[in-house]
Amino acid sequence: MAAYILRRLLLIIPTLWAIITINFFIIQIAPGGPVDQAIATMQGLDSNMSLQRISGSGGAETTTGNANASTYRGARGLDPQVIAEIEKRYGFDKPILVRYGIMLKNYLMFNFGNSLFRGRSVLGLIRERLPVSISLGIWSTLLIYLVSIPLGIRKAVKNGTKFDTWTSAAVIIGNAIPGFLFAVLLVVLFAGGSFLKIFPLRGLFSTNFDQLSFLGKIGDYFWHLVLPILAMVIGGFASLTMLTKNSFLDEINKQYVMTARSKGLTEKQVLWGHIFRNAMLIVIAGFPAAFISMFFTGSVLIEVIFSLEGLGLLGFESTMSRDYPVIFATLYIFTLMGLVLSLVSDLMYTIIDPRIDFEARR
């Protein structure tokens, strides 16, 4: 097993390199880069004043694009020296392969440079937004699994009964409601929208968080997370519940289950001793994708509605503003975490079913 883990860890390096490289060069053909946006903001302004403003903004050496002034949209009428200064400030004055090499070197040391438009280090921005994304990702994923797996198992055991029917109706309704729409409903009902004002609407902590006791801080933290997590869970538990149910139903009808029953084992012994470890493999296989989805992509609208500044919102805003250092840094971290979680998922296979031996695979 140690050799398998080592091989997987070494495989992360070329995989991460390929993903970053492909995205780096794809960005080269994307219109509306930071130089274009800087030129757009300068139209109608005095060149000297604009140049001073550009020189005072944040920059990075890991950005993309390299062209002369005539290739930028809206550059007509501007002094070429001003355009050259903008390119230099944003790191566009270097050849593309040189910038690519600088990016790889910096990323090996987790040096992501500075944001182009926020005037701060990218690592500082990610560190600031990370607690929100970790909180939403971990607790929503944990709650989804704690609800969906027991419910799916129960539905499989009670397949065709009234319990299975009304829970299926509830699952279908939950799956049909978009998470952001349910979030708006929760705000209206419980966050002072039109009815009750039980839960806070903004932020992850209260303004007096530092003055609270240890237990008070824990209570305040979860008090702020109740509505966002509920909004994220409503759409996530449906698919996992049905996946668990169908996986267990598929195993229940197999020959080895009938053999176990014929040996005199009780239903609980058959379910937890034989069916469980086989049926749970497919459920565990989807854990990395579910966590990454909740951690990064699934929380953008939720973060907007509840005024939570997390990595999902940061990545979206950076994409819209073409803040390349932030885009590549978040992509780098997301990909790295996804690859590590994929390895963890494989290791969980051996815990659920010791018969699986990755070391024996060639």
Side-chain angles (χ1 to χ4, degrees):
M1 180 58 67
Y4 172 76
I5 295 175
L6 180 60
R7 288 197 302 268
R8 286 294 302 272
L9 290 175
L10 293 176
L11 185 61
I12 288 177
I13 298 175
T15 305
L16 189 61
W17 168 79
I19 293 174
I20 292 296
T21 299
I22 292 172
N23 283 273
F24 179 87
F25 287 102
I26 287 178
I27 288 295
Q28 310 306 304
I29 62 175
V35 173
D36 287 312
Q37 297 198 22
I39 291 173
T41 60
M42 292 175 62
Q43 296 303 311
L45 300 177
D46 180 75
S47 296
N48 293 330
M49 293 176 59
S50 302
L51 185 56
Q52 291 174 2
R53 290 176 58 188
I54 292 298
S55 299
S57 62
E61 293 184 342
T62 58
T63 56
T64 59
N66 186 23
N68 53 47
S70 62
T71 64
Y72 295 115
R73 295 182 301 175
R76 178 178 297 180
L78 290 179
D79 188 346
Q81 183 179 356
V82 174
I83 304 300
E85 184 64 27
I86 296 174
E87 291 179 328
K88 181 178 180 181
R89 186 58 185 172
Y90 288 150
F92 282 59
D93 58 325
K94 300 180 180 65
I96 182 174
L97 293 180
V98 174
R99 294 195 307 277
Y100 173 68
I102 293 174
M103 184 192 71
L104 292 182
K105 178 182 177 181
N106 289 337
Y107 278 24
L108 285 175
M109 299 180 291
F110 282 84
N111 177 17
F112 303 118
N114 298 321
S115 169
L116 295 180
F117 307 110
R118 299 173 187 268
R120 297 182 54 191
S121 70
V122 175
L123 199 58
L125 286 171
I126 293 176
R127 189 184 299 114
E128 181 182 284
R129 302 292 186 97
L130 202 55
V132 172
S133 294
I134 289 178
S135 298
L136 294 177
I138 288 180
W139 295 119
S140 58
T141 305
L142 181 62
L143 187 58
I144 287 173
Y145 270 74
L146 288 177
V147 172
S148 300
I149 292 177
L151 180 60
I153 295 174
R154 185 69 175 175
K155 285 174 64 61
V157 174
K158 298 292 184 180
N159 184 43
T161 63
K162 290 183 178 180
F163 174 83
D164 182 44
T165 302
W166 70 261
T167 52
S168 294
V171 167
I172 293 173
I173 294 174
N175 191 41
I177 300 177
F180 72 91
L181 185 61
F182 188 64
V184 173
L185 179 63
L186 292 176
V187 170
V188 172
L189 294 178
F190 302 111
S194 299
F195 296 91
L196 304 176
K197 191 176 182 180
I198 302 176
F199 299 100
L201 183 59
R202 301 179 61 87
L204 195 60
F205 308 105
S206 299
T207 55
N208 63 336
F209 182 79
D210 293 335
Q211 303 174 1
L212 300 175
S213 63
F214 177 74
L215 293 178
K217 290 180 179 180
I218 295 177
D220 181 76
Y221 169 74
F222 284 106
W223 183 47
H224 282 74
L225 283 176
V226 169
L227 297 186
I229 289 178
L230 285 178
M232 295 180 68
V233 166
I234 188 66
F237 84 98
S239 58
L240 184 59
T241 299
M242 299 309 297
L243 176 64
T244 304
K245 175 189 174 182
N246 294 332
S247 178
F248 272 78
L249 283 177
D250 184 59
E251 294 296 327
I252 286 174
N253 296 324
K254 288 185 176 180
Q255 183 65 40
Y256 76 89
V257 176
M258 299 175 59
T259 303
R261 287 171 177 166
S262 66
K263 292 181 178 180
L265 297 179
T266 64
E267 286 299 318
K268 287 186 177 181
Q269 290 175 325
V270 173
L271 179 63
W272 301 108
H274 294 77
I275 299 176
F276 180 80
R277 65 181 183 181
N278 294 324
M280 285 300 295
L281 291 177
I282 190 173
V283 177
I284 292 175
F287 176 79
F291 180 77
I292 291 296
S293 176
M294 287 292 177
F295 194 73
F296 302 117
T297 60
S299 61
V300 176
L301 292 176
I302 303 300
E303 291 175 10
V304 173
I305 293 172
F306 292 100
S307 300
L308 297 170
E309 296 186 347
L311 287 178
L313 184 58
L314 176 64
F316 174 77
E317 293 174 345
S318 301
T319 302
M320 297 302 295
S321 63
R322 301 297 195 273
D323 197 344
Y324 292 150
V326 180
I327 294 174
F328 284 122
T330 52
L331 175 65
Y332 183 84
I333 293 177
F334 295 175
T335 305
L336 181 60
M337 291 189 63
L339 294 173
V340 172
L341 286 175
S342 178
L343 174 59
V344 173
S345 177
D346 285 350
L347 297 180
M348 287 296 295
Y349 283 152
T350 61
I351 296 177
I352 297 297
D353 191 350
R355 295 173 301 175
I356 296 178
D357 185 10
F358 289 107
E359 189 67 30
R361 294 168 55 186
R362 292 184 180 273

